Amino acid sequence: MSHLDKQPIRVVVTGAAGQIAYSLLYIIAKGDVFGRDQPLILHLLDIPPMMEVLEGVVMELADCALPLLRQVVPTADPAVAFNDVSAAFLVGAMPRKQGMERKDLLSANVKIFKVQGEALDKHARKDVKVLVVGNPANTNAIVCSKYAPSIPAENFTAMTRLDHNRARAQIAARANVPVPCVSNVIIWGNHSSTQVPDASHAKVNVNGKMVSASEAVKDEAWLRKQFIETVQKRGAAVIAARKMSSAMSAATAAADHMRSWFLGTDPDEFVSMGVVSDGSYGAPKGVVFSFPVTISNGQWKIVQGLKIDDFYLDMLAATGKELEEERAEAMAVIQA
């Protein structure tokens, strides 16, 4: 069946006039996320003061003359934005600025994600796949899910694919191989500086032979210190250099996350996703925690049975504790 005969799916991107969306919309619209034969109707949500900017984005999408893009719906109304959507990229959030604490972010963003959760509940398809990109992403996903009780909790995920991609790139550079040769790195926990980048299960293809990251890098001290710190602090490093937060890399990671969710992971490969915790690996239950997952038929599954080195256990406990604290703060904001 050609894309001309296929029914389009509706996809919403919030914060659609912003920096991340400017990179993301083109990646989605040209077919890199949902498949090269899947037509799309894009719903673009932003706040009323951004409507003129959004109109320019709509013009640019038209001028790309993309074969899969059937229609673009720009709006400031969540009821219109979330109507009948199959996938939601929740990008719009108060961005973190230099020197800003995550707690400042929480109070501003809880209100945004409450409104969006309610709109998803009323207007979206019940099998909608929701990716929260706006920070603090893990806790925003919990808030959003709470206000969309008719949609399964497992349909709300948070983006740690950016951290996952950063980790792969660091190992690839250190091992002097192309990035596609690195797989199965893990980001545990929160998308924050407490996250736990873990290369102990990563595999690297070196001249056609699969070896451990440890064997490829040949520097265990680097893997346990600089590698972890570089990935944890990469977002802050980008802000310091660019005076703005990661946009191009965040957009690419959002596309990667949703493509894996819709189209599945390769055999023997897992990716990192913030998903509702069932308590695996000692993570607190009921928070959105980043785990290694495999995906098939649109369903993610936490990879079980991995041996966790004692070196990482305290870090896993710390990132879990931060997520519990964030959840408590978010719920206090909601009830205030």
Side-chain angles (χ1 to χ4, degrees), residues 1-10 34 37-41 68 70 84 86 125:
M1 184 189 283
S2 94
H3 67 80
L4 296 171
D5 306 319
K6 225 172 172 182
Q7 280 298 106
I9 60 169
R10 293 178 183 271
F34 301 101
D37 61 348
Q38 179 56 65
L40 302 163
I41 296 171
L68 295 173
R70 295 284 184 268
D84 200 31
S86 296
R125 290 168 55 102

Side-chain angles (χ1 to χ4, degrees), residues 14 88-93 109 113 116 120 129-145 155-161 191 254 257-258 261 274 288:
T14 73
F89 292 85
L90 304 188
V91 179
N109 284 320
F113 286 88
Q116 293 184 357
L120 280 159
K129 291 178 166 54
V130 181
L131 166 59
V132 178
V133 176
N135 281 321
N138 298 55
T139 298
N140 288 341
I142 285 283
V143 171
C144 206
S145 171
N155 287 30
F156 290 84
T157 63
M159 186 170 86
T160 53
R161 188 63 168 264
H191 173 61
H257 175 118
M258 196 67 88
W261 200 357
V288 167

Side-chain angles (χ1 to χ4, degrees), residues 99-291:
M100 196 179 197
E101 288 297 316
R102 289 178 73 81
K103 286 175 186 176
D104 306 329
L105 268 187
L106 261 176
S107 53
N109 284 320
V110 159
K111 291 153 192 154
I112 295 171
F113 286 88
K114 177 185 176 195
V115 168
Q116 293 184 357
E118 289 168 342
L120 280 159
D121 197 54
K122 284 197 192 87
H123 304 289
R125 290 168 55 102
K126 296 306 169 200
D127 62 353
V128 62
K129 291 178 166 54
V130 181
L131 166 59
V132 178
V133 176
N135 281 321
N138 298 55
T139 298
N140 288 341
I142 285 283
V143 171
C144 206
S145 171
K146 177 179 166 62
Y147 286 98
S150 67
I151 296 167
E154 61 266 24
N155 287 30
F156 290 84
T157 63
M159 186 170 86
T160 53
R161 188 63 168 264
L162 176 52
D163 311 297
H164 181 95
N165 287 349
R166 287 166 170 164
R168 288 177 71 209
Q170 289 297 316
I171 290 169
R174 194 77 180 183
N176 199 24
V177 298
V179 174
C181 292
V182 180
S183 59
N184 294 8
V185 297
I186 301 169
I187 304 297
W188 300 100
N190 201 0
H191 173 61
S192 78
S193 58
T194 68
Q195 65 175 262
V196 187
D198 175 0
S200 60
H201 299 277
K203 298 187 294 192
V204 184
N205 184 330
V206 180
N207 301 322
K209 185 184 171 209
M210 276 297 186
V211 299
S212 67
S214 182
E215 197 180 327
V217 167
K218 296 183 171 58
D219 188 343
E220 200 60 34
W222 178 84
L223 281 170
R224 292 190 170 218
K225 187 164 171 57
Q226 289 96 323
F227 163 71
I228 292 171
E229 288 173 1
T230 300
V231 177
Q232 285 174 332
K233 295 174 182 171
R234 190 67 159 190
V238 170
I239 291 172
R242 219 172 84 85
K243 309 298 179 269
M244 294 162 102
S245 57
S246 312
M248 185 185 358
S249 55
T252 302
D256 289 345
H257 175 118
M258 196 67 88
R259 180 176 59 247
S260 293
W261 200 357
F262 264 77
L263 304 181
T265 47
D266 291 336
D268 304 323
E269 180 201 21
F270 47 75
V271 295
S272 304
M273 265 170 93
V275 299
V276 179
S277 170
D278 60 357
S280 292
Y281 299 101
K285 284 187 181 174
V287 298
V288 167
F289 192 97
S290 183
F291 291 100

Side-chain angles (χ1 to χ4, degrees), residues 62-86:
D63 295 348
C64 288
L66 294 158
L68 295 173
L69 190 55
R70 295 284 184 268
Q71 189 187 351
V72 180
V73 182
T75 183
D77 180 355
V80 174
F82 291 102
N83 186 45
D84 200 31
V85 294
S86 296

Side-chain angles (χ1 to χ4, degrees), residues 22-33 248 251-253 255 259:
Y22 193 69
S23 289
L24 177 60
L25 289 167
Y26 176 68
I27 300 173
I28 296 169
K30 76 182 172 83
D32 285 359
V33 178
M248 185 185 358
T252 302
R259 180 176 59 247

